[in-house]
Amino acid sequence: MNLINKIMKKFFFRKKTNMENEIYEQSDIIFELIRKYIKRDYSIAIDIPDNINKIALIASGSSYHSATIAANFIRTRVHSDAQSYYSSEVALTEDFDVDSDTLYIFISQSGETSDTNECLTKISLKTDKTLAITNTKNSTLYNNSKYKILTFAGPEKSIASTKAMSAQMYCLFLIAIKLMQQRELPAINIIDELLYVPESIKNALTKRQEIKQYANLLADYDNAAILASGMFYPLAKEGALKIKETSYINTTAYPTGEFLHGHIAILNKKCAVISFVNNQNIQFTLNVLKKIQDSYRTDSLIITALPVLDNHSDNIIPITASSDIDFMFSSLILLQLLAFETALLLDRDVDKPSGLTKVVK
Ligand code: AGP
């Protein structure tokens, strides 16, 4: 295809892709989840068993990332034991621990991912405390779990999961609140934060023009590193997965400090760095970024909720976030947009990345 054709295709005749439509549906989907699951008296209309001491979350790909985000959140806010597991690893583990006081949560957009369903079958032999979070009613996962939560994201056609993932995250936060309420822990502030999420998403979507500018930068690289700490690390992993599967840029997420322990050597090759700076660990993250800049010349992009970075020399995407939950959903949307815009620039088929299938059986 000649250059003129390429330009025409990209800027004039480009049909909207499913991925783009699905990114833009997210605010309405979360609004629908609020309507369905959060009652006027702030009770949460989902059914989970009583007497739960531990949570095990089992999933693959993006669903695994929402599981990890939830596990961190449950540990820090509910003060309860919570652990995420890759389905494929659990499926391979013959003596995977199954306790009577653990709730086993299986997360899958399709409800037909064979690794996750295999885990459900195996664990169901020993406990009935199984809960499916899925986008697909009457899927195998839905039908075979005792407890069920639907994510109501509508059919997700793009291979890269966007709206299903944010809906899963939201439902998992609702489970965390339900657990807090069962334990009589104060949850009102967190519910208020969750009620704001449709707005967070809308605000993040207004950053698209800025994101296009950074996509231009990223599209020049074969390698990228995403640095984040704490509860934002699984989000960085999700961003890396989204960029990899849509653009094929070799992107890896690292815990910010850990990056200095040898991994930084990848900057000897041409590699872009994307970093999250949030309220926790601000000075620490800035020190790491300074070390990177002092030793290597590389483009870096900072996603931040902090006005204090105004004078920083890197490329900065500021987010006005009122809470960690706000920052988390906003960052997720920005990473989805970044992956999408970069893939478009590289002329990738974003809805059907080469060699990938929607459901891994
Ligand atoms: C995400 O963008 C991927 N296409 C993939 O990782 C996906 O999340 C994974 O295969 C799990 O699918 P599921 O949620 O349908 O089980």
Side-chain angles (χ1 to χ4, degrees):
M1 195 186 307
N2 69 31
L3 188 65
I4 300 208
N5 273 349
K6 266 191 174 170
I7 294 171
M8 298 287 270
K9 188 176 157 216
K10 262 179 210 158
F11 298 104
F12 297 105
F13 302 127
R14 192 174 64 74
K15 245 180 63 193
K16 269 207 167 179
T17 59
N18 290 322
M19 184 179 177
E20 183 175 14
N21 289 333
E22 288 163 6
I23 289 174
Y24 276 85
E25 284 169 35
Q26 293 175 96
S27 173
D28 288 348
I29 291 165
I30 303 296
F31 192 75
E32 189 57 18
L33 291 176
I34 292 174
R35 221 178 50 76
K36 286 207 150 60
Y37 293 133
I38 305 181
K39 299 293 146 197
R40 277 177 190 280
D41 62 355
Y42 278 20
S43 59
I44 305 298
I46 56 176
D47 190 21
I48 59 170
D50 296 326
N51 304 323
I52 295 299
N53 280 329
K54 280 197 286 180
I55 308 280
L57 302 115
I58 300 164
S60 302
S62 294
S63 301
Y64 170 78
H65 297 146
S66 55
T68 310
I69 289 167
N72 285 345
F73 191 83
I74 293 169
R75 282 196 302 269
T76 53
R77 302 283 187 101
V78 189
H79 310 295
S80 180
D81 191 344
Q83 192 63 52
S84 58
Y85 300 90
Y86 287 112
S87 313
S88 54
E89 291 296 305
V90 174
L92 284 175
T93 310
E94 273 176 27
D95 51 355
F96 185 74
D97 262 355
V98 179
D99 304 318
S100 57
D101 61 352
T102 300
L103 175 62
Y104 295 85
I105 302 180
F106 302 85
I107 307 153
S108 171
Q109 186 286 130
S110 58
E112 299 298 348
T113 295
S114 60
D115 286 332
T116 310
N117 282 330
E118 202 179 310
C119 299
L120 171 62
T121 309
K122 188 155 117 174
I123 289 169
S124 295
L125 294 174
K126 299 186 181 161
T127 181
D128 65 353
K129 288 189 175 135
T130 57
L131 185 155
I133 297 185
T134 180
N135 201 25
T136 318
K137 196 172 182 180
N138 293 328
S139 57
T140 308
L141 194 80
Y142 181 91
N143 288 337
N144 295 344
S145 299
K146 168 111 190 253
Y147 299 85
K148 309 152 203 283
I149 299 177
L150 282 170
T151 47
F152 294 108
E156 192 179 56
K157 295 185 190 144
S158 168
I159 285 184
S161 182
T162 54
K163 61 178 185 172
M165 151 95 187
S166 55
Q168 288 165 355
M169 263 167 72
Y170 203 84
C171 290
L172 286 160
F173 285 132
L174 293 178
I175 292 180
I177 290 173
K178 185 89 185 178
L179 288 167
M180 290 174 87
Q181 291 175 338
Q182 277 183 352
R183 290 159 198 216
E184 298 183 355
L185 294 168
I188 291 177
N189 290 347
I190 302 179
I191 298 176
D192 284 337
E193 289 172 22
L194 280 177
L195 291 175
Y196 189 72
V197 170
E199 219 41 49
S200 315
I201 295 176
K202 280 189 195 152
N203 290 340
L205 288 170
T206 65
K207 306 267 175 192
R208 184 155 179 194
Q209 285 313 316
E210 278 171 73
I211 292 287
K212 275 189 184 170
Q213 190 184 320
Y214 299 120
N216 255 306
L217 188 144
L218 184 60
D220 255 1
Y221 283 84
D222 288 332
N223 302 292
I226 309 191
L227 314 184
S229 298
M231 67 172 84
F232 296 95
Y233 175 57
L235 207 60
K237 288 181 79 173
E238 171 61 11
L241 173 60
K242 218 92 301 177
I243 293 169
K244 267 184 286 201
E245 69 180 338
T246 55
S247 298
Y248 319 148
I249 294 173
N250 181 12
T251 312
T252 310
Y254 301 91
T256 305
E258 174 60 20
F259 189 58
L260 301 181
H261 294 272
H263 311 280
I264 192 171
I266 62 157
L267 299 183
N268 286 306
K269 276 188 152 186
K270 205 175 164 225
C271 177
V273 173
I274 302 168
S275 171
F276 286 83
V277 180
N278 62 309
N279 282 315
Q280 294 107 33
N281 310 328
I282 166 164
Q283 204 44 56
F284 171 75
T285 307
L286 292 179
N287 290 345
V288 172
L289 290 176
K290 184 161 181 338
K291 280 185 191 159
I292 290 173
Q293 286 309 340
D294 287 350
S295 315
Y296 301 90
R297 293 173 64 81
T298 186
D299 280 320
S300 56
L301 166 61
I302 297 178
I303 298 174
T304 178
L306 302 167
V308 73
L309 292 180
D310 274 356
N311 297 326
H312 211 270
S313 61
D314 296 273
N315 302 301
I316 293 182
I317 306 183
I319 301 174
T320 26
S322 53
S323 68
D324 279 348
I325 288 181
D326 185 358
F327 188 48
M328 222 178 300
F329 278 92
S330 305
S331 308
L332 177 69
I333 303 298
L334 295 187
L335 289 167
Q336 292 172 351
L337 284 174
L338 183 64
F340 173 74
E341 293 292 351
T342 309
L344 274 193
L345 283 169
L346 293 170
D347 213 16
R348 309 284 193 237
D349 182 348
V350 287
D351 285 338
K352 291 193 183 63
S354 182
L356 300 185
T357 48
K358 181 75 186 157
V359 182
V360 179
K361 292 206 175 185

